[in-house]
Amino acid sequence: QVRVVESGGGLVHPGGSLRLSCAASGSNFSPTITGWYREAPGKQREFVAQTTDFDDIIYGKSMEGRVAIFRANAENTVYLQMISLKPDDTAVYSCRVQRGSSVYWGQGIQVTVSS
């Protein structure tokens, strides 16, 4: 069983930056794909970014150019660095970890962009 925990969310002013963390514990089976998704009120969940054990990175259109995903292997953590945040970026951000054919989600973390 894998436990996925997000952290780093909160309130940020427009134009600000925020770094989210996704820590996955438990079985360390590879390959692993770690992705970030977000869901705003009244909208469908959308893909933000993902990375793999081999640093194959894909970014979604929603935040392309304003987000970077990177891994800290020693910490078993994947980070999502977000810059130039806008009020439209307000959402619950969730981490998805796929190991082999198994998928695990974190509980999600609120990011609010407001002045």
Side-chain angles (χ1 to χ4, degrees):
Q1 188 69 18
V2 174
R3 185 167 177 249
V4 180
V5 178
E6 302 100 335
S7 61
L11 174 66
V12 62
H13 293 308
S17 302
L18 209 58
R19 178 178 291 184
L20 305 181
S21 302
C22 172
S25 62
S27 172
N28 203 24
F29 178 78
S30 289
T32 299
I33 301 172
T34 304
W36 283 96
Y37 293 75
R38 69 181 187 179
E39 188 168 356
K43 296 184 179 180
Q44 288 189 329
R45 178 186 289 169
E46 59 181 359
F47 170 73
V48 178
Q50 76 174 33
T51 184
T52 71
D53 291 344
F54 306 102
D55 289 327
D56 294 322
I57 293 174
I58 301 174
Y59 292 105
K61 295 294 184 184
S62 60
M63 299 188 74
E64 195 170 21
R66 299 186 295 120
V67 66
I69 187 170
F70 55 97
R71 297 181 300 121
N73 289 335
E75 303 166 5
N76 222 13
T77 299
V78 170
Y79 297 94
L80 185 73
Q81 178 69 48
M82 304 183 291
I83 64 171
S84 302
L85 286 164
K86 309 171 184 178
D88 284 348
D89 294 321
T90 295
V92 173
Y93 287 71
S94 299
C95 182
R96 176 187 184 274
V97 174
Q98 180 175 342
R99 289 183 174 166
S101 60
S102 299
V103 175
Y104 309 89
W105 286 89
Q107 288 195 323
I109 192 165
Q110 179 69 43
V111 171
T112 301
V113 185
S114 175
S115 55

